[in-house]
Amino acid sequence: ILAASSLSCIKNKTWSPYDKIMISLSSSRLTLHSWTTMDFFVSIFYKPFYYKENTYMVSKIIFAFLSYSSLWFGAWLSLFYCIKVASFTQSFFIWMKQRIARLMPWMLLTSWLCSVTAAIPFAWDVYRVHNNFTAPSTITNSSARRTTTKETLPVLILCNATIIMPLIL
């Protein structure tokens, strides 16, 4: 899809809204899958390097950014097709149908910025989320457990608030 859309843009020397969305979506998905595969191999074969603070943090930030970007671009593709196919007579819908081509670059840029905003909290809180585990208590019976948690609610709310909009779209 990425190659076909890119060739279409090169041949025609114009970027249709569909091509912009498809290039954004397919490149983010291709990058996400490549990153996930590379991350998997690094976590297995270079375990000491992978679990150093900066490597693990950067890995999770990039994964979150790529995941959120793919979600946003998929939402824009759905919205674009809905506007093009449906025939409502509501004034906002007609206005949107006439201006979707001009708004598309701004919509893609906004979604990219929202993805960056949603991925940044992982830099602050990735270790707290990673360290939430249940450990056996050394003082009591081994079946008794104590939970070590740290406050992550504000970060979870911030991360999830940025993905609610594409899901609503």
Short mmCIF file of all heavy atoms in Angstrom, two decimals, residues 135-160:
data_model
loop_
_atom_site.label_atom_id
_atom_site.label_comp_id
_atom_site.label_asym_id
_atom_site.label_seq_id
_atom_site.Cartn_x
_atom_site.Cartn_y
_atom_site.Cartn_z
N ALA A 135 4.60 -9.25 45.00
CA ALA A 135 5.74 -10.03 45.47
C ALA A 135 5.36 -10.78 46.73
O ALA A 135 4.54 -10.31 47.51
CB ALA A 135 6.92 -9.10 45.76
N PRO A 136 5.96 -11.96 46.94
CA PRO A 136 5.66 -12.68 48.18
C PRO A 136 6.20 -11.93 49.39
O PRO A 136 7.26 -11.32 49.34
CB PRO A 136 6.37 -14.02 48.01
CG PRO A 136 7.33 -13.83 46.91
CD PRO A 136 6.87 -12.67 46.08
N SER A 137 5.44 -11.96 50.45
CA SER A 137 5.86 -11.30 51.67
C SER A 137 6.83 -12.22 52.43
O SER A 137 6.58 -13.41 52.57
CB SER A 137 4.64 -11.00 52.54
OG SER A 137 5.04 -10.45 53.76
N THR A 138 7.92 -11.68 52.91
CA THR A 138 8.93 -12.50 53.60
C THR A 138 8.55 -12.76 55.04
O THR A 138 9.06 -13.69 55.65
CB THR A 138 10.29 -11.80 53.57
OG1 THR A 138 10.15 -10.50 54.14
CG2 THR A 138 10.80 -11.69 52.14
N ILE A 139 7.65 -11.97 55.61
CA ILE A 139 7.31 -12.10 57.03
C ILE A 139 6.20 -13.12 57.25
O ILE A 139 6.19 -13.85 58.22
CB ILE A 139 6.87 -10.73 57.60
CG1 ILE A 139 8.02 -9.75 57.46
CG2 ILE A 139 6.43 -10.85 59.04
CD1 ILE A 139 7.64 -8.33 57.81
N THR A 140 5.26 -13.21 56.34
CA THR A 140 4.09 -14.05 56.54
C THR A 140 4.19 -15.32 55.70
O THR A 140 5.20 -15.62 55.08
CB THR A 140 2.82 -13.27 56.16
OG1 THR A 140 2.90 -12.95 54.78
CG2 THR A 140 2.67 -12.03 57.00
N ASN A 141 3.08 -16.01 55.66
CA ASN A 141 2.96 -17.21 54.87
C ASN A 141 3.28 -16.90 53.40
O ASN A 141 2.99 -15.82 52.91
CB ASN A 141 1.52 -17.72 55.01
CG ASN A 141 1.33 -19.06 54.36
OD1 ASN A 141 2.18 -19.55 53.62
ND2 ASN A 141 0.19 -19.67 54.66
N SER A 142 3.84 -17.85 52.69
CA SER A 142 4.23 -17.60 51.30
C SER A 142 3.05 -17.37 50.39
O SER A 142 3.20 -16.83 49.31
CB SER A 142 5.09 -18.75 50.77
OG SER A 142 4.31 -19.92 50.72
N SER A 143 1.87 -17.82 50.80
CA SER A 143 0.69 -17.58 49.97
C SER A 143 0.18 -16.15 50.13
O SER A 143 -0.58 -15.67 49.31
CB SER A 143 -0.42 -18.57 50.29
OG SER A 143 -0.84 -18.40 51.63
N ALA A 144 0.57 -15.49 51.22
CA ALA A 144 0.18 -14.09 51.40
C ALA A 144 1.04 -13.23 50.49
O ALA A 144 2.22 -13.47 50.30
CB ALA A 144 0.38 -13.66 52.85
N ARG A 145 0.44 -12.22 49.92
CA ARG A 145 1.16 -11.38 48.97
C ARG A 145 0.99 -9.91 49.37
O ARG A 145 -0.01 -9.52 49.91
CB ARG A 145 0.63 -11.57 47.56
CG ARG A 145 0.76 -13.00 47.07
CD ARG A 145 1.44 -12.96 45.75
NE ARG A 145 1.56 -14.28 45.17
CZ ARG A 145 2.72 -14.82 44.87
NH1 ARG A 145 3.83 -14.18 45.12
NH2 ARG A 145 2.78 -15.99 44.31
N ARG A 146 1.99 -9.15 49.05
CA ARG A 146 1.88 -7.71 49.21
C ARG A 146 2.08 -7.09 47.83
O ARG A 146 2.84 -7.59 47.01
CB ARG A 146 2.91 -7.17 50.19
CG ARG A 146 4.34 -7.34 49.74
CD ARG A 146 5.32 -6.76 50.76
NE ARG A 146 6.65 -7.20 50.47
CZ ARG A 146 7.44 -6.68 49.54
NH1 ARG A 146 7.02 -5.67 48.82
NH2 ARG A 146 8.64 -7.15 49.32
N THR A 147 1.38 -6.04 47.60
CA THR A 147 1.47 -5.39 46.30
C THR A 147 2.25 -4.10 46.45
O THR A 147 1.95 -3.29 47.31
CB THR A 147 0.06 -5.09 45.76
OG1 THR A 147 -0.67 -6.31 45.72
CG2 THR A 147 0.12 -4.49 44.38
N THR A 148 3.24 -3.94 45.58
CA THR A 148 4.00 -2.70 45.58
C THR A 148 3.56 -1.90 44.36
O THR A 148 3.80 -2.29 43.23
CB THR A 148 5.51 -2.97 45.50
OG1 THR A 148 5.77 -3.70 44.31
CG2 THR A 148 5.99 -3.73 46.70
N THR A 149 2.89 -0.80 44.61
CA THR A 149 2.43 0.04 43.52
C THR A 149 2.84 1.48 43.80
O THR A 149 3.09 1.87 44.93
CB THR A 149 0.89 0.00 43.37
OG1 THR A 149 0.31 0.46 44.59
CG2 THR A 149 0.42 -1.40 43.05
N LYS A 150 2.90 2.22 42.75
CA LYS A 150 3.16 3.65 42.86
C LYS A 150 2.06 4.34 42.08
O LYS A 150 1.44 3.77 41.19
CB LYS A 150 4.53 3.97 42.28
CG LYS A 150 5.64 3.32 43.09
CD LYS A 150 6.98 3.71 42.58
CE LYS A 150 8.04 3.00 43.41
NZ LYS A 150 9.35 3.18 42.91
N GLU A 151 1.82 5.57 42.42
CA GLU A 151 0.72 6.29 41.80
C GLU A 151 0.98 6.52 40.31
O GLU A 151 1.92 7.19 39.93
CB GLU A 151 0.51 7.64 42.49
CG GLU A 151 -0.13 7.53 43.84
CD GLU A 151 -1.50 6.89 43.77
OE1 GLU A 151 -2.28 7.24 42.88
OE2 GLU A 151 -1.78 6.03 44.61
N THR A 152 0.16 5.94 39.48
CA THR A 152 0.27 6.13 38.04
C THR A 152 -1.04 6.62 37.44
O THR A 152 -1.14 6.75 36.24
CB THR A 152 0.67 4.82 37.35
OG1 THR A 152 -0.31 3.84 37.64
CG2 THR A 152 2.03 4.36 37.78
N LEU A 153 -2.02 6.89 38.25
CA LEU A 153 -3.33 7.28 37.75
C LEU A 153 -3.28 8.54 36.87
O LEU A 153 -3.86 8.53 35.78
CB LEU A 153 -4.31 7.46 38.90
CG LEU A 153 -5.75 7.73 38.50
CD1 LEU A 153 -6.30 6.55 37.69
CD2 LEU A 153 -6.60 7.96 39.72
N PRO A 154 -2.61 9.62 37.26
CA PRO A 154 -2.59 10.79 36.37
C PRO A 154 -1.96 10.50 35.01
O PRO A 154 -2.45 10.98 33.99
CB PRO A 154 -1.75 11.82 37.15
CG PRO A 154 -1.83 11.38 38.56
CD PRO A 154 -1.96 9.90 38.54
N VAL A 155 -0.91 9.70 35.00
CA VAL A 155 -0.26 9.39 33.73
C VAL A 155 -1.16 8.50 32.88
O VAL A 155 -1.27 8.69 31.67
CB VAL A 155 1.11 8.72 33.98
CG1 VAL A 155 1.73 8.23 32.69
CG2 VAL A 155 2.03 9.70 34.67
N LEU A 156 -1.81 7.54 33.50
CA LEU A 156 -2.72 6.67 32.75
C LEU A 156 -3.89 7.46 32.17
O LEU A 156 -4.32 7.21 31.05
CB LEU A 156 -3.22 5.54 33.64
CG LEU A 156 -2.19 4.49 34.01
CD1 LEU A 156 -2.78 3.51 35.01
CD2 LEU A 156 -1.67 3.78 32.79
N ILE A 157 -4.41 8.42 32.93
CA ILE A 157 -5.50 9.25 32.44
C ILE A 157 -5.03 10.08 31.26
O ILE A 157 -5.72 10.19 30.23
CB ILE A 157 -6.06 10.14 33.57
CG1 ILE A 157 -6.82 9.28 34.57
CG2 ILE A 157 -6.96 11.25 32.99
CD1 ILE A 157 -7.24 10.02 35.82
N LEU A 158 -3.84 10.68 31.36
CA LEU A 158 -3.31 11.49 30.27
C LEU A 158 -3.08 10.67 29.01
O LEU A 158 -3.46 11.08 27.91
CB LEU A 158 -2.00 12.16 30.70
CG LEU A 158 -1.31 13.03 29.65
CD1 LEU A 158 -2.19 14.22 29.31
CD2 LEU A 158 0.04 13.49 30.17
N CYS A 159 -2.49 9.50 29.16
CA CYS A 159 -2.23 8.64 27.99
C CYS A 159 -3.53 8.18 27.34
O CYS A 159 -3.65 8.16 26.12
CB CYS A 159 -1.40 7.43 28.40
SG CYS A 159 0.28 7.85 28.86
N ASN A 160 -4.49 7.80 28.15
CA ASN A 160 -5.75 7.30 27.59
C ASN A 160 -6.65 8.41 27.09
O ASN A 160 -7.47 8.17 26.19
CB ASN A 160 -6.47 6.44 28.61
CG ASN A 160 -5.75 5.12 28.82
OD1 ASN A 160 -5.29 4.50 27.86
ND2 ASN A 160 -5.64 4.69 30.06
#
